[in-house]
Amino acid sequence: MKKYGQANVQILFDLFSWKKRAGASIRFEIVPQSRFWIVSFISYDQHSPYEHTFASFMGDTHDELYSWALDLLTDFTIQFDKSVVSFPIPDAVNTPVSTPALQ
Protein backbone atom coordinates (compact mmCIF):
# COMPACT_ATOMS: atom_id res chain seq x y z
CA MET A 1 0.00 0.00 0.00
CA LYS A 2 1.29 3.45 -0.91
CA LYS A 3 1.79 6.33 1.47
CA TYR A 4 -0.66 9.14 0.87
CA GLY A 5 2.11 11.41 -0.47
CA GLN A 6 2.63 8.96 -3.35
CA ALA A 7 -1.00 9.07 -4.46
CA ASN A 8 -1.71 10.05 -8.04
CA VAL A 9 -4.23 12.82 -7.43
CA GLN A 10 -5.38 12.94 -11.06
CA ILE A 11 -6.30 9.24 -10.97
CA LEU A 12 -8.13 9.78 -7.67
CA PHE A 13 -10.05 12.71 -9.16
CA ASP A 14 -10.96 10.52 -12.15
CA LEU A 15 -12.24 7.83 -9.77
CA PHE A 16 -14.17 10.38 -7.72
CA SER A 17 -15.70 11.80 -10.91
CA TRP A 18 -16.68 8.36 -12.20
CA LYS A 19 -18.36 7.52 -8.88
CA LYS A 20 -20.20 10.89 -8.67
CA ARG A 21 -21.45 10.67 -12.26
CA ALA A 22 -22.77 7.18 -11.44
CA GLY A 23 -24.80 8.77 -8.63
CA ALA A 24 -22.67 7.57 -5.71
CA SER A 25 -21.60 9.60 -2.71
CA ILE A 26 -17.99 9.49 -1.51
CA ARG A 27 -16.69 9.43 2.03
CA PHE A 28 -13.47 8.49 3.72
CA GLU A 29 -12.61 6.66 6.91
CA ILE A 30 -9.38 6.43 8.85
CA VAL A 31 -8.48 3.38 10.93
CA PRO A 32 -5.35 2.34 12.81
CA GLN A 33 -3.44 -0.63 11.47
CA SER A 34 -0.30 -1.82 13.22
CA ARG A 35 1.92 1.25 13.62
CA PHE A 36 0.32 3.18 10.74
CA TRP A 37 -3.02 4.75 9.94
CA ILE A 38 -5.02 3.85 6.83
CA VAL A 39 -7.36 6.22 4.98
CA SER A 40 -9.87 4.59 2.64
CA PHE A 41 -12.14 6.29 0.13
CA ILE A 42 -15.54 4.64 -0.03
CA SER A 43 -18.40 5.12 -2.46
CA TYR A 44 -21.97 4.40 -1.44
CA ASP A 45 -25.56 4.91 -2.45
CA GLN A 46 -27.87 6.25 0.25
CA HIS A 47 -30.58 3.85 -0.92
CA SER A 48 -28.43 0.72 -0.79
CA PRO A 49 -26.41 -1.01 1.93
CA TYR A 50 -23.57 -1.70 -0.56
CA GLU A 51 -20.31 0.23 -0.13
CA HIS A 52 -17.21 0.06 -2.31
CA THR A 53 -13.73 0.85 -0.99
CA PHE A 54 -11.92 2.00 -4.11
CA ALA A 55 -8.66 3.50 -2.81
CA SER A 56 -6.61 3.25 0.39
CA PHE A 57 -3.40 4.90 1.53
CA MET A 58 -1.32 4.83 4.68
CA GLY A 59 0.15 7.57 6.79
CA ASP A 60 1.92 8.08 10.07
CA THR A 61 -0.78 9.98 11.95
CA HIS A 62 -4.54 10.30 11.94
CA ASP A 63 -4.36 14.10 11.72
CA GLU A 64 -2.18 14.19 8.60
CA LEU A 65 -4.45 11.70 6.81
CA TYR A 66 -7.57 13.55 7.90
CA SER A 67 -6.26 16.89 6.58
CA TRP A 68 -5.07 15.34 3.32
CA ALA A 69 -8.31 13.43 2.63
CA LEU A 70 -10.53 16.38 3.55
CA ASP A 71 -8.51 18.77 1.36
CA LEU A 72 -8.59 16.27 -1.51
CA LEU A 73 -12.36 15.77 -1.37
CA THR A 74 -12.94 19.51 -0.96
CA ASP A 75 -10.77 20.35 -3.98
CA PHE A 76 -12.50 17.66 -6.03
CA THR A 77 -15.99 18.84 -5.03
CA ILE A 78 -15.20 22.44 -5.98
CA GLN A 79 -13.80 21.37 -9.36
CA PHE A 80 -16.67 18.93 -9.99
CA ASP A 81 -19.31 21.51 -9.09
CA LYS A 82 -17.65 24.05 -11.43
CA SER A 83 -17.65 21.55 -14.31
CA VAL A 84 -21.33 20.78 -13.77
CA VAL A 85 -22.21 24.49 -13.68
CA SER A 86 -20.18 25.19 -16.82
CA PHE A 87 -22.58 23.22 -19.01
CA PRO A 88 -25.09 25.48 -20.76
CA ILE A 89 -28.51 25.53 -19.16
CA PRO A 90 -31.45 25.80 -21.58
CA ASP A 91 -33.05 29.19 -21.51
CA ALA A 92 -36.74 29.07 -20.58
CA VAL A 93 -37.46 31.95 -22.95
CA ASN A 94 -36.63 29.76 -25.95
CA THR A 95 -39.00 26.99 -24.93
CA PRO A 96 -42.34 27.25 -26.72
CA VAL A 97 -45.26 27.08 -24.34
CA SER A 98 -48.82 26.62 -25.40
CA THR A 99 -51.19 29.16 -23.98
CA PRO A 100 -54.87 28.40 -23.68
CA ALA A 101 -57.08 30.63 -25.79
CA LEU A 102 -59.78 32.47 -23.94
CA GLN A 103 -63.17 32.55 -25.63
Side-chain angles (χ1 to χ4, degrees):
M1 182 178 305
K2 289 184 176 185
K3 293 207 59 152
Y4 75 95
Q6 298 172 319
N8 184 323
V9 174
Q10 183 57 52
I11 291 174
L12 276 173
F13 274 27
D14 289 346
L15 286 169
F16 291 167
S17 180
W18 178 56
K19 295 292 186 178
K20 291 290 282 183
R21 290 182 196 283
S25 296
I26 301 167
R27 68 178 180 85
F28 65 89
E29 68 180 20
I30 302 171
V31 295
Q33 186 177 40
S34 186
R35 58 188 180 111
F36 295 103
W37 289 85
I38 306 296
V39 61
S40 297
F41 292 97
I42 301 160
S43 64
Y44 64 97
D45 182 341
Q46 295 179 348
H47 305 291
S48 168
Y50 177 73
E51 294 186 338
H52 177 235
T53 301
F54 61 91
S56 295
F57 300 94
M58 67 181 172
D60 295 325
T61 69
H62 181 279
D63 289 348
E64 72 182 354
L65 286 177
Y66 180 83
S67 293
W68 177 75
L70 188 59
D71 288 347
L72 194 65
L73 276 178
T74 301
D75 290 347
F76 166 74
T77 301
I78 290 169
Q79 288 183 21
F80 186 80
D81 288 347
K82 282 182 182 177
S83 71
V84 170
V85 170
S86 69
F87 294 117
I89 299 171
D91 189 4
V93 174
N94 295 330
T95 306
V97 177
S98 63
T99 53
L102 297 173
Q103 297 183 9

